[in-house]
Amino acid sequence: MTLPHALTGLGAIAGDYDILLCDVWGVIHNGRESWPEACEALTRFNQQGGHVILISNSPRTSAGVIAQMDGLGVLRDSWKTVVTSGDATRAELARRAPGPAWLIGPERDAPLYEGLGLTTASGAADAAFLSVTGPYDDEVETPEDYRERLTEAAERGLEMICANPDRVAQRGDRLIYCAGSLADLYETLGGRVTMAGKPFGPIYDLAMKDAADLLGGPVNRARVLCIGDGVVTDVLGADKQALDCLFIAQGIHGDKARGADGRLDPARAADLLKAETTYARYAMLDLAW
């Protein structure tokens, strides 16, 4: 397998690209704090004439993600627009209105459903489909806590709309389960899952529309670089879209791509990618200029 090129900084390749489609969680913040070096790298790319589009698998709308980033100190100079899995998922939900929909997820994700005309169900027995943004309590719950409830839904043949394909996300110094882990379980139970976030096409369609608006014309896909730490979401999504990718190998993978000298080991990074039969052109441990 071809090894990714190890980079010491984004600046080494910035001139090759007009657009960055950059992941959020695990690249510029960890849910508790933002990372100044990563934010500075994106800001410098914008200052040199490029355009950063943040592309997140958050089940929230872009407005909700922007508010969260503001609270974490992510400077607005580091991005131009924001596209989320929540934005892309709203179109899927609207097509299935009025439901009723069985909604699984924390109360903070309620804005996802505003204005869609959905009615809600109390469980699988009276639902037309289910929509999942994550566990009700991601601090303590695991997918196994949902096995019995999801088994009933799968037996009834209900479709699951998964608003966040991520399986886990970094929160501070630990990993929490996301909606994608519930979707994985549902599929093992025989359930059918629809997702619009990375690595699936709808979120990239939205991002490319924003890119064309920012450029004032057609997008040269050879000058678009995806950046992310999720192999099965960010890297695989870029691969499916035939876009170059910078793999942030530390992120949710911890030290698995770090060599004995403390630096990125391209062979170890390649092993992480190989597990999902995907490829990234570049790799770094953390995003920096």
Side-chain angles (χ1 to χ4, degrees), residues 47-203:
Q47 290 173 340
Q48 294 189 9
H51 304 284
V52 175
I53 298 172
L54 297 182
I55 178 169
S56 169
N57 264 356
S58 171
R60 304 179 188 184
T61 61
S62 53
V65 167
I66 290 170
Q68 181 189 36
M69 292 192 299
D70 286 346
L72 293 172
V74 176
L75 299 180
R76 293 204 175 195
D77 288 346
S78 63
W79 53 270
K80 298 286 185 73
T81 64
V82 179
V83 175
T84 72
S85 181
D87 294 332
T89 301
R90 279 178 61 85
E92 294 291 339
L93 294 169
R95 280 195 285 271
R96 292 161 177 80
W102 177 25
L103 310 182
I104 297 176
E107 184 62 31
R108 65 175 180 268
D109 295 333
L112 175 69
Y113 304 106
E114 291 178 356
L116 296 179
L118 283 171
T119 59
T120 58
S122 58
D126 57 343
F129 69 95
L130 60 155
S131 176
V132 179
T133 61
Y136 291 115
D137 186 350
D138 57 20
E139 287 290 329
V140 298
E141 290 183 318
T142 74
E144 282 303 309
D145 293 315
Y146 291 82
R147 179 175 291 276
E148 184 176 345
R149 285 169 284 183
L150 293 181
T151 296
E152 181 185 359
E155 289 174 347
R156 290 201 60 233
L158 299 184
E159 179 187 21
M160 173 190 285
I161 308 300
C162 175
N164 177 1
D166 286 354
R167 288 153 177 170
V168 295
Q170 193 174 5
R171 179 176 290 161
D173 59 357
R174 57 191 288 263
L175 296 179
I176 60 169
Y177 286 104
C178 299
S181 62
L182 299 182
D184 282 350
L185 172 59
Y186 198 58
E187 288 184 326
T188 68
L189 297 172
R192 179 165 52 99
V193 177
T194 295
M195 294 187 265
K198 299 174 289 184
F200 302 98
I203 194 170

